[in-house]
Amino acid sequence: MEDVRSIVEHTYRAEHGRIVAMVIGAMGGDFASAEEVVQESFEAALQQWPREGVPREPRAWLLRAARNKAVDRVRRGVRLGARVDALEVVARLEQELAATPGGEDWQAHPDDSLRLLFTCCHPSLAVDVQVALALRTLCGLTTEEVARAFLVPPATMAQRLVRAQRKIRDARIPYVIPEPDALGERTRGVLHAIYLLFSEGHSATQGAELVRVDLCEEALRLARLTCHLLPRHPETTSLLAMMLLHHSRRHVRVAEDGGLVLLDRQDRGRWDAANIAEGLALLDGALALGAFGPYTVQAAIAALHAQAKRPEETDWEQIAALYERLAKLTPGPVVELNRAAAVAMAKGPAQGLVLVDDLESSGRLTEHHLLPAARAELLRRLGRTDEAVAAYRRALALVRTEPERRFLEERLKEVLADVPPT
């Protein structure tokens, strides 16, 4: 039973977004109903697979289950007098969701994810709402995960998502990839959604795993599709470059025992050379297009890390300067915190601590563990052990992932060992 549950959970994480994208399209853009029937199909899998065995093609089975449930739902709606052309909808459901056991039809819908992504990012919605809807619907993040990405309470985010779905339905926003002349107004939201999806995969905000490779790879897949759609858009190319450069370190960011491995302690010989080469080439291409936006700056920072053969060869001066530029392009507390860390490496922990304390006094990131964790590290380097202990304990009270918790506990233990007995 546990193995089946694991398979269902893995399939959910890997395929939920693409299944939802296909079902939403077949149901004429009815987000709520599509999400419900897909959820019901996964629940059915949990009940049936232990008895009947796991199907050879789980996603094809789930798609077929979702189609059947959608058809039943439409027919029930007719009996209840719903205003829907039931025959037309049923025919579309059966045609578009007719997955074969071999999954061949799955490959016939490569653009459903992009259609959903661009629909979520319709300009009639605020950009933050566009991104949140894409993360929840297409990327399969929970409402709580989306809320954490935007630093708002889950109830607030839930209300935003419901209103957004209702607006798309009531306004009859077409479920299509827009014409080329209308792509630009949606690109900002599309790229932000892909970026946040990758961020959640690269550094999960809660749970037992620090890295969720499935989310990273889905973000890379969506970025490649978007690059294909917008081949001369420098920020799109830069985003893909940045993600590839970060993804190159996925195998060494977590130790065999599940612990976090910091950048300066990673085995750089095990970084993925193919990812790095592709990322650097894409960055060169983006720079050649003449733009230098936020994703290009972040890709440039990632490139400097990737090109340093040893930790001590890292060009922290240039990285700090790039973070300063990024802070002007996209001001935000996380960018400021990263800039402080870079300044600390380039100019010493005291200067970095000034920036961290400024950020703390602003009242931003007060509920995020990274702020006290960064402060603790700088205090430790400055020999202010009592303050470092307090900061590590504050970080431990806020951290949500087990690898980071273990890392902070080990750091706290090291600092406590340096505290003289009273």
Side-chain angles (χ1 to χ4, degrees):
M1 177 60 187
E2 188 57 37
D3 288 342
V4 172
R5 179 173 290 279
S6 297
I7 292 171
V8 173
E9 290 175 354
H10 173 77
T11 307
Y12 183 92
R13 291 168 59 167
E15 310 292 356
H16 175 269
R18 276 182 276 183
I19 294 175
V20 167
M22 293 179 69
V23 176
I24 288 177
M27 297 188 77
D30 187 343
F31 280 64
S33 295
E35 282 195 303
E36 286 174 8
V37 297
V38 172
Q39 185 63 34
E40 289 170 5
S41 70
F42 275 95
E43 291 170 1
L46 279 174
Q47 294 176 0
Q48 294 184 37
W49 292 2
R51 295 195 311 267
E52 303 170 3
V54 177
R56 188 167 61 88
E57 289 288 341
R59 64 187 182 190
W61 188 99
L62 289 161
L63 189 59
R64 190 162 52 248
R67 177 199 63 188
N68 294 339
K69 293 178 184 301
V71 169
D72 289 345
R73 181 172 293 231
V74 171
R75 287 173 174 156
R76 285 199 306 273
V78 171
R79 284 198 297 273
L80 295 171
R83 293 179 181 179
V84 61
D85 186 341
L87 290 177
E88 180 184 336
V89 174
V90 168
R92 186 169 63 234
L93 284 164
E94 292 182 337
Q95 179 182 355
E96 296 190 12
L97 303 182
T100 64
E104 291 85 354
D105 285 356
W106 183 269
Q107 302 302 327
H109 297 273
D111 293 333
D112 278 300
S113 301
L114 275 189
R115 282 202 293 166
L116 178 55
L117 189 53
F118 277 92
T119 300
C120 290
C121 295
H122 192 277
S124 66
L125 303 173
V127 171
D128 280 359
V129 176
Q130 295 173 15
V131 176
L133 186 60
L135 290 174
R136 175 68 189 92
T137 307
L138 177 62
C139 305
L141 299 191
T142 66
T143 300
E144 289 75 14
E145 289 171 331
V146 179
R148 279 198 296 277
F150 286 88
L151 305 177
V152 300
T156 300
M157 182 53 67
Q159 291 174 355
R160 290 182 188 175
L161 293 171
V162 169
R163 284 198 295 268
Q165 292 180 354
R166 191 179 299 147
K167 186 164 188 174
I168 289 176
R169 183 197 63 196
D170 294 346
R172 297 183 180 276
I173 291 174
Y175 185 73
V176 296
I177 296 174
E179 294 298 319
D181 60 354
L183 285 174
E185 62 185 359
R186 304 196 198 189
T187 303
R188 180 183 169 198
V190 167
L191 298 187
H192 196 185
I194 295 172
Y195 171 80
L196 289 180
L197 175 63
F198 182 82
S199 297
E200 180 63 25
H202 185 69
S203 296
T205 53
Q206 73 170 8
E209 301 173 59
L210 179 66
V211 180
R212 292 181 59 181
V213 174
D214 57 325
L215 293 185
C216 291
E217 292 183 345
E218 178 63 4
L220 287 166
R221 188 185 73 85
L222 291 170
R224 290 186 189 282
L225 288 172
T226 308
C227 280
H228 181 72
L229 201 63
L230 298 162
R232 294 188 60 77
H233 192 282
E235 281 291 89
T236 303
T237 305
S238 295
L239 175 61
L240 178 57
M242 181 202 70
M243 294 193 303
L244 284 166
L245 291 168
H246 283 301
H247 199 50
S248 70
R249 304 198 296 266
R250 62 192 177 282
H251 297 305
V252 293
R253 292 183 60 232
V254 180
E256 290 185 2
D257 65 357
L260 167 67
V261 181
L262 294 181
L263 184 62
D264 62 351
R265 298 185 181 181
Q266 292 175 6
D267 180 355
R268 298 182 180 224
R270 292 181 59 207
W271 286 358
D272 190 317
N275 280 170
I276 291 174
E278 185 181 1
L280 293 177
L282 286 166
L283 176 58
D284 287 343
L287 291 171
L289 290 171
F292 210 63
Y295 296 120
T296 310
V297 175
Q298 292 180 76
I301 293 170
L304 288 170
H305 284 298
Q307 290 169 318
K309 301 298 182 186
R310 298 180 300 164
E312 53 269 32
E313 294 177 4
T314 306
D315 189 346
W316 285 107
E317 290 279 355
Q318 192 173 172
I319 290 173
L322 286 168
Y323 269 120
E324 186 173 356
R325 180 162 187 160
L326 183 62
K328 293 176 180 173
L329 290 170
T330 55
V334 175
V335 174
E336 290 292 347
L337 186 60
N338 287 332
R339 178 183 165 229
V343 167
M345 294 301 295
K347 300 179 179 178
Q351 293 199 41
L353 185 60
V354 170
L355 297 176
V356 170
D357 286 345
D358 286 346
L359 182 58
E360 186 176 43
S361 63
S362 73
R364 297 177 294 170
L365 281 186
T366 54
E367 298 303 315
H368 201 299
H369 74 283
L370 288 178
L371 178 58
R375 192 165 185 276
E377 178 63 16
L378 297 178
L379 290 166
R380 183 187 70 83
R381 289 171 57 188
L382 289 167
R384 294 161 59 177
T385 50
D386 287 343
E387 294 170 89
V389 167
Y392 276 123
R393 285 177 172 156
R394 171 66 179 159
L396 279 164
L398 297 172
V399 71
R400 292 174 177 270
T401 66
E402 280 307 309
E404 289 175 297
R405 179 183 303 283
R406 288 169 53 190
F407 172 80
L408 291 170
E409 287 173 343
E410 290 169 7
R411 274 282 204 252
L412 176 59
K413 192 181 299 181
E414 291 172 6
V415 175
L416 284 171
D418 293 335
V419 176
T422 56

